[in-house]
Each structure stands twice: as C-alpha cells, then as structure tokens.
Amino acid sequence: MSFAVAIDGPAAAGKGTISRAVAAHFGLAHLDTGLLYRAVGAKVLEGAEAVEAAEELRAEDLKAGNLRTAEVAQAASKVAVIPEVRAALVDFQRAFARRDGGAVLDGRDIGTVICPDAEVKIFVTASPEVRAKRRFLELQAAAGVMSLDEVLADVLARDARDRDRATAPMKPAEGSLILDTSEMTIGEAVAAATKAIAARR
Ligand code: DC
C-alpha cells in the first residue's frame, strides 16, 4: 500500500533532517528531490545542456560528490526554473511517491505539483537569518569559505528564484501543516512532524 508524505520548504529550513528522521521512524522510503535538480545543475556547470541533462539523468548521477556545494545549489535553482527540466523529472518523482510501502519526498513542489493527494503535507520554514546560520555552519564543516553574509545573500537569492518562478513555485500546499523551525530544536521539529504523520497512519 502507498502512503505519501510531502515535505516542502526553503533551503536549510530543516526539511532534509526531518524527512530522513520520519522516514526512518515509519519505515518509509525517502527521496531528496533537490538532489535531482542539483545533479542537473552540476551537469550544466560542466557544460551540458539543461533539458538534455534532465532527460538523461541516471541514478548514479545523484551520487556525485559535489552536489552539496553552494555553487551547485545556485545552478540547481536556475535549472529548476525551466519547465522542460521539471517535466523531465516528474514521472520518476510521482512513481517514487506512490511506491509500495510508502515514501517521504522533500522539495519545493511535492505537495503542490508532484503529489497533491499526499496523505500528509508539511511546509517546513524558518527565518532567513536562522537558515543562513545553519547553512553557514554546514558549509564550514565541509571546509566552506563563504562568510555568513554571503551565505545569507545566497539563501535569499535562491528563495526569491524558487518562490517567484512561473512553473511550480515554492509555496505551502493547500492543507499543509506549517512548521516554523526558527525557534525549535531538531528534536522538537521531528516530534511535530512525527505527530502529524502518526495522526494519518
Ligand atoms: O532542496 P535543495 O536545496 O537541495 O534544492 C536545490 C534547488 O533545487 C532549489 O533551490 C530549487 C530546486 N528544487 C525544486 O525546484 N523543486 C524541488 N522539488 C526540489 C528542489
């Protein structure tokens, strides 16, 4: 039986951490859909054409070592504006969402476009300053060289592009639980998401 959990929200709001935790807790498969766009963005940085890269994307491409960099994140956000790129990635995501045993997908348009009939929809957010600080600490850990101000500018630019695009813009899906994690610990945020999912299981 399928059971889809859609978790959307802006960069560094905590959706990845929450998604992995609830997937493990409920024994659901997890797909970080940002990785699809990051893999396409990485290929474009290497000189590929975006739509072709999306159409030819393979599972191995999601394992590339450079997908978590700030440069690839911006490239991902840019290719994500192109309707043909998004269209090329829809079937894979929809099939994943409805796989037997249930699935958690996190991204920007899971509850609005990919799986509007998801059993649970959560929109995870936090203030830009809190998200920039989190991303800054992550990048530092990976030997990043950006300042906190640069990371904040990066986060704001990506928010604007993801939110203002014409196709599948980032926004809370109808009926979603809004989870603002600005003042929450990871444990509290995971507990809130777990409770919302348990109520529908
Ligand atoms: O979640 P992330 O930061 O890894 O996503 C990288 C970019 O990919 C994000 O800025 C916009 C795009 N994206 C998207 O448009 N739709 C999704 N479902 C997931 C990501």
Side-chain angles (χ1 to χ4, degrees):
M1 218 177 83
S2 77
F3 181 86
V5 179
I7 303 191
D8 291 302
K15 9 174 239 313
T17 307
I18 293 171
S19 299
R20 280 189 296 276
V22 297
H25 181 88
F26 292 101
L28 305 168
H30 171 227
L31 179 65
D32 168 1
T33 64
L35 272 187
L36 304 173
Y37 295 91
R38 284 173 183 260
V40 174
K43 286 193 177 282
V44 168
L45 290 176
E46 287 163 11
E49 198 278 316
V51 177
E52 220 166 89
E55 284 169 350
E56 290 169 7
L57 203 67
R58 291 164 309 161
E60 302 91 89
D61 299 327
L62 305 184
K63 295 184 189 139
N66 65 340
L67 299 187
R68 292 282 165 209
T69 65
E71 191 191 12
V72 169
Q74 288 296 345
S77 169
K78 286 177 190 163
V79 300
V81 169
I82 306 168
E84 294 84 0
V85 166
R86 306 198 69 84
L89 303 174
V90 164
D91 287 352
F92 174 73
Q93 295 175 83
R94 287 200 175 136
F96 194 98
R98 284 303 168 202
R99 65 195 278 155
D100 244 8
V104 180
L105 285 82
D106 72 276
R108 302 290 185 291
D109 64 337
I110 308 305
T112 52
V113 173
I114 299 299
C115 201
D117 57 352
E119 278 71 16
V120 183
K121 296 180 204 173
I122 304 176
F123 191 84
V124 184
T125 188
S127 74
E129 291 73 21
V130 166
R131 292 187 287 117
K133 182 91 183 286
R134 288 178 188 159
R135 188 43 54 87
F136 174 69
L137 294 173
E138 269 172 32
L139 293 171
Q140 289 295 99
V145 289
M146 291 168 82
S147 70
L148 180 56
D149 280 351
E150 285 170 327
V151 177
L152 177 60
D154 230 53
V155 161
L156 290 173
R158 203 137 68 89
D159 280 0
R161 204 183 293 115
D162 296 346
R163 192 185 51 226
D164 297 340
R165 67 182 178 225
T167 308
M170 168 177 72
K171 64 176 178 197
E174 228 179 277
S176 48
L177 166 73
I178 310 280
L179 201 57
D180 186 330
T181 67
S182 301
E183 312 265 309
M184 287 182 175
T185 63
I186 292 174
E188 288 167 343
V190 169
T194 303
K195 195 173 153 203
I197 298 166
R200 298 296 313 270
R201 286 292 267 175

